[in-house]
């Protein structure tokens, strides 16, 4: 265990690589910039404020934006180096057409030609096989305006139900759990509520590497006396400074939450008034957790009984607290149940909707929040409306000036979309901001499906690993080449400002989508002349919905450093903290603080089930996957940023010394990891910071470095999130480095 630093600044020094102050760092080339543009980092959901320095249509560096309240100028290594991606030689400057005879398999073609070919292929597929033969994949790194346009494009231009987005791999378990319990899917509190709370509970979140700025909030809380509880199969950097570490066996978090709740009930550590006044369903839940004695909880979770008791006591007896979780509990075939388990202990404590009493899902992608609200999900319409609800359809159809009867019904999740390709039901695919070949589980299947398509068009600024299977690739825009809004981790809608123009033939993504609509002769609803116009339509489309953006304007965002939704009218300041008693909401009115007609939150029985593929004699080790601080998602961007590659050049497999000894493997040895679906050869990283029954591999690489060749395509039955966090593998020492690709 690392020596414990004593204050935040020491800690930043101590864990230098995971959190770097940007102030004083001058990474430009000593050139005086033409402009300095206040905007936000393009990577994770914290959306740190940053100022980009621009010279001759190129970003040459950055300056901290200390006034932006969330990060106050701080950035992690990715934010510091983000500006280097735009000038990478791989940047797509023209449209590309697949050509087996061309070097690299693609040749440059004119933009208009590429649009024409795309529209012709779509029209051909739809006239022969029907509208539903086209599928669309979209992304939550896009601005909210673009995500809104993508949902509208699928339903109004292509008239297909088949659109889904990469948040399916990310936010949907949290979303489904939050909707079931609270009726709304958004972090309940501003991050300032973390500081000053007595207990901070972190489940399945590698905060210091994946939400680096949140680390600072947690450490500030700790300096003010908070006890930090971390639940993870690995002693992550945040766990090294926690007060209680619970080394859960992957896939067993519901058992822990149920066991803690049982101890809260047994010791009467409950807020009876809150439960009585503001919730329903407690009795059935209490009944269901009776069997979760500390002994049984310890046996299932692999956590010592005394640690479970300690966690329950700290949590149960606190007067303020903040619980947060991320994909560690959500990427499971029972991810929604895990989330409900977490929410149950929050509701039973009554500590929500007040200062320093909070609960949040840590969002992942830049627009992980806004990207899941305005209709690019397969079952959703703008404003977090429901595609099957007749009133919701009527509202949005009116804004779109179409008949509600013409709107398709719900489609299918992103993975099922690939199964539809397999069945020949989907013949054509359009993707924007998604790299499924690297990011979906069991990727050998995904690769076969891409090659089965009649036509595939990808829109990206790099030729990503999936786009290599496309017929046409259209050169899209980097985040800094467009303006629009995103909604960050706290539910705060903020403004991305344009710093540079797209180079060469590259175009802003929303213009490309409209060019395709025009080439199809289906321009109705796709004649926006600016992102602002799209935002203004979105405001009306979301009006009166749960995710109500009507009262948000770009001006108000600039004036207030962001506006938290719901914001129902222009004179409304926004809603930083949800569920405050006495605050009316669009669903409950004055009936109560939660977003159901009776204003009450729901307890949900969270049943324990084991992961889909548990270990056995043949595959005796648990594989769990995730991230490292210097790489981002499928790596399309960060694998092109030199200093980030230097920091962590290729994936390694984290193995506990006990397991390594059994395998005869030492640090740096090439090691074969095999699952029922595939095999990978990686260097071993022998660390004491992981459970001996579990190995960990980060997923940011493609080809023979992609761990998703091994992962399982099991999905949560409600959210359809893949079970990235558990499958069964066996390991052996390899003869040498990998050869095949
Ligand atoms: N550096 C970096 N930062 C990122 C990203 C990135 O790619 N790189 N991506 C962004 C995105 S889109 C996302 S979704 C977030 C993800 O942020 P996190 O969810 O924090 O990251 P992960 O590494 O996926 O998983 C978190 C932790 O879950 C643990 N874990 C595995 N199985 C279990 C389990 O069964 N139970 C529990 N309790 N824990 C478990 C892992 O050991 C890991 O430490 O990060 C965002 N920030
Ligand atoms: N094994 C394993 N797999 C995982 C996970 C895991 O923990 N383990 N995590 C999952 C999670 S949480 C996530 S979020 C997914 C992410 O998976 P993906 O969404 O597939 O990953 P990205 O790298 O974001 O891919 C997005 C693509 O969009 C492009 N792009 C980014 N911004 C823009 C833009 O503004 N315009 C255009 N035109 N293109 C853009 C990038 O260049 C990139 O090629 O991966 C999932 N996969
Ligand atoms: S990656 Fe996230 S934490 Fe790092 S600078 Fe960007 S927004 Fe901030
Ligand atoms: Mo994510």
């Amino acid at each position: 265990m690392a020596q414990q630093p004593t204050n935040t600044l020491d800690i930043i020094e101590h864990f230098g690589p995971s959190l770097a102050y940007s102030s004083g760092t001058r990474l430009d080339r000593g050139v005086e910039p033409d402009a300095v543009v206040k905007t936000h980092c393009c990577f994770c959901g914290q959306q740190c404020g940053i100022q980009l320095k621009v010279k001759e249509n190129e970003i040459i560096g950055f300056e901290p934006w200390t006034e932006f309240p969330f990060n106050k100028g701080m950035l992690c290594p990715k934010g510091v180096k983000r500006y280097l991606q735009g000038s990478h030689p791989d940047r797509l400057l023209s449209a590309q057409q697949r050509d087996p005879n061309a070097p690299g398999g693609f040749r440059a073609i004119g933009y208009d030609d590429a649009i024409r070919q795309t529209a012709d292929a779509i029209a051909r597929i739809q006239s022969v096989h029907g509208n539903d033969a086209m599928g669309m994949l979209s992304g939550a790194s896009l601005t909210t305006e673009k995500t809104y346009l993508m949902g509208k494009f699928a339903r109004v231009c292509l008239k297909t139900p088949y659109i889904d987005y990469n948040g399916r791999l990310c936010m949907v378990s949290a979303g489904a759990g939050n909707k079931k319990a609270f009726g709304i899917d958004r972090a309940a509190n501003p991050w300032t509520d973390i500081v000053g709370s007595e207990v901070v509970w972190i489940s399945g979140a590698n905060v210091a590497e994946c939400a680096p700025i949140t680390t600072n909030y947690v450490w500030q809380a700790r300096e003010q006396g908070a006890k930090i509880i971390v639940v993870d199969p690995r002693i992550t950097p945040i766990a090294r400074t926690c007060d209680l570490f619970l080394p859960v066996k992957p896939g067993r978090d519901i058992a822990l939450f149920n066991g803690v709740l049982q101890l809260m009930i047994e010791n009467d550590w409950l807020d009876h008034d809150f439960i009585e006044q503001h919730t329903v369903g407690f009795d059935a839940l209490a009944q269901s957790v009776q069997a979760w004695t500390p002994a049984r909880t310890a046996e299932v979770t692999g956590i010592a009984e005394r640690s479970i008791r300690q966690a329950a006591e700290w949590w149960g007896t606190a007067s303020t607290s903040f619980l947060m979780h991320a994909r560690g509990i959500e990427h499971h075939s029972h991810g929604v149940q895990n989330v409900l388990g977490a929410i149950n202990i929050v509701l039973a404590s009554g500590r929500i909707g007040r200062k320093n009493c909070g609960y949040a899902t840590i969002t992942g992608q830049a627009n992980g929040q806004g990207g899941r609200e305005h209709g690019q999900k397969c079952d959703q319409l703008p404003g977090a409306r429901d595609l099957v609800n007749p009133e919701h359809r009527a509202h949005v159809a009116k804004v779109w000036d179409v008949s509600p009867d013409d709107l398709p019904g719900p489609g299918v999740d992103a993975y099922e979309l690939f199964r539809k390709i397999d069945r020949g039901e989907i013949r054509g695919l359009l993707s924007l901001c998604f790299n499924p070949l690297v990011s979906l589980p069991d990727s050998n299947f995904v690769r076969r499906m891409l090659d089965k398509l009649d036509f595939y068009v990808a829109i990206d600024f790099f030729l990503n690993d999936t786009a290599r299977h496309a017929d046409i690739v259209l050169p899209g825009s980097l985040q800094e080449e467009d303006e629009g809004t995103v909604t960050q981790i706290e539910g705060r809608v903020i403004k991305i400002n344009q710093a540079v123009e797209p180079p060469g033939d590259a175009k802003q993504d929303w213009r490309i989508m409209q060019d395709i609509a025009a080439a199809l002769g289906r321009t109705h609803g796709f004649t926006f002349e600016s992102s602002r116009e799209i935002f203004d339509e979105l405001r009306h489309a979301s009006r009166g919905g749960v995710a109500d953006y009507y009262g948000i304007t770009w001006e108000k965002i600039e004036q207030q450093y962001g506006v938290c939704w719901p914001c129902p009218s222009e004179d409304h300041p926004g809603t930083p903290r949800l569920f405050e008693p006495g605050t009316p909401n669009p669903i409950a009115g004055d009936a109560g603080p939660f977003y159901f007609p009776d204003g009450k939150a729901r307890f949900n029985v969270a049943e324990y089930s084991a992961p889909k593929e548990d270990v056995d004699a043949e595959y005796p080790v648990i594989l769990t996957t995730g991230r490292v601080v210097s790489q981002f998602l499928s790596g399309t961007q960060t694998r092109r940023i030199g200093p980030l590659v230097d920091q962590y050049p290729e994936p390694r497999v984290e193995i506990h010394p006990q397991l390594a000894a059994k395998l005869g493997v030492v640090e740096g040895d090439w090691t074969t990891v095999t699952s029922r679906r595939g095999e990978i050869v990686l260097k071993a990283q022998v660390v004491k910071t992981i459970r001996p029954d579990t190995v960990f591999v980060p997923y940011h690489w493609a080809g023979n470095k992609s761990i998703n060749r091994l992962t399982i395509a099991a999905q949560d039955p409600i959210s359809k999130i893949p079970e990235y966090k558990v499958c069964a593998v066996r390991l052996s020492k390899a003869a040498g480095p990998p050869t095949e690709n």
Side-chain angles (χ1 to χ4, degrees), residues 374 383 539 542-552 565-569 586:
H374 298 289
R539 290 174 53 207
S542 74
R543 188 175 194 178
V546 170
D548 192 335
Y549 278 44
Y550 179 67
I552 305 177
W565 69 266
C567 182
S569 60

Side-chain angles (χ1 to χ4, degrees), residues 174-436:
N178 275 256
K179 267 181 84 173
K180 271 178 176 293
F182 303 127
I184 182 173
D185 167 23
R186 203 210 90 181
N189 298 68
W191 254 225
T192 44
D193 273 351
I194 297 170
V195 184
S197 59
E198 280 177 26
V199 174
V200 180
W201 180 307
I202 302 169
S203 270
N206 181 359
V207 171
E209 296 200 72
C210 299
I213 300 307
T214 297
T215 318
N216 201 41
Y217 287 87
V218 175
W219 280 337
Q220 282 184 51
R222 188 168 180 272
E223 277 172 29
Q224 296 191 17
K227 294 192 175 77
I228 314 296
I229 302 172
V230 174
V231 189
D232 202 298
R234 302 184 304 141
I235 306 174
T236 54
I238 193 81
R240 290 174 209 156
T241 56
C242 77
D243 300 276
L244 182 61
F245 175 64
L246 308 178
V248 68
K249 187 170 173 183
R252 273 74 180 173
D253 293 83
I254 321 166
L256 175 64
F257 291 126
N258 285 348
V260 167
L261 184 62
Q262 174 55 23
L263 283 166
M264 289 169 74
I265 295 169
E266 209 175 286
N267 293 286
D268 200 17
W269 293 323
L270 301 169
D271 185 336
H272 294 284
D273 289 347
F274 179 89
I275 293 171
E276 176 69 32
Q277 280 172 33
H278 294 304
T279 69
V280 294
F282 185 71
D283 293 342
L285 174 64
Q287 191 83 31
S288 78
V289 299
Q290 264 176 11
W292 288 100
T293 59
R296 181 169 171 224
T297 308
E299 190 194 317
V300 171
T301 60
I303 302 167
E305 199 179 311
R306 82 189 127 75
S307 302
I308 297 166
R309 287 183 185 278
Q310 181 70 82
E313 188 186 335
W314 283 356
W315 182 261
T317 58
S319 56
T320 56
S321 59
F322 202 111
L323 187 149
M324 58 178 92
H325 57 78
R327 306 307 84 75
I329 71 163
E330 300 162 27
H331 276 160
H332 293 278
S333 57
H334 49 256
V336 177
Q337 303 302 313
N338 279 346
V339 171
L340 293 172
I343 294 173
N344 286 338
I345 70 165
V346 173
L347 288 175
S349 77
R351 294 190 300 265
I352 191 159
R354 285 182 281 137
K355 187 170 179 340
N356 296 136
C357 292
Y359 160 78
T361 300
I362 301 176
T363 55
Q365 292 156 278
N367 199 14
Q369 183 63 53
R372 69 186 199 256
E373 297 164 359
H374 298 289
Q376 59 174 346
K377 280 171 90 165
C378 65
D379 56 355
Q380 190 198 51
L381 288 170
R385 285 191 165 87
D386 212 333
L387 201 41
V388 292
N389 180 318
E391 279 170 36
H392 292 188
R393 291 170 69 89
H395 173 87
V396 175
K398 190 159 175 234
V399 176
W400 287 351
D401 189 24
V402 296
S403 159
D405 300 336
D406 288 342
L407 292 179
V412 295
D413 68 85
Y415 209 87
E416 190 61 26
L417 206 141
F418 281 88
R419 296 189 188 106
K420 279 192 171 288
I421 298 171
D422 198 19
R423 295 197 290 270
E425 293 163 26
I426 288 182
R427 320 285 292 225
L429 181 67
L430 182 156
S431 75
L432 169 64
C433 195
F434 200 152
N435 191 6

Side-chain angles (χ1 to χ4, degrees), residues 41 43-44 46-48 75-76 78-79 212-213:
C41 173
F43 293 127
C44 87
Q46 318 215 31
Q47 285 299 287
C48 295
L75 298 165
C76 85
K78 294 182 299 304
I213 300 307

Side-chain angles (χ1 to χ4, degrees), residues 141-142 146 166 169-170 327 331 365 432-436 439 459-461 464 476-477 509 625-627 633-637 699 707-708 711 724-725:
S141 295
L142 297 169
K146 292 178 189 180
N166 60 11
L169 322 179
C170 186
R327 306 307 84 75
H331 276 160
Q365 292 156 278
L432 169 64
C433 195
F434 200 152
N435 191 6
S439 55
I459 306 170
D460 211 299
F461 38 75
N464 76 23
S477 48
D509 301 317
T625 64
R627 308 164 152 72
L633 303 181
S634 70
T636 314
Q637 294 164 271
Y699 89 100
I707 195 62
N708 273 329
T711 49
Y724 293 117
K725 292 293 187 265

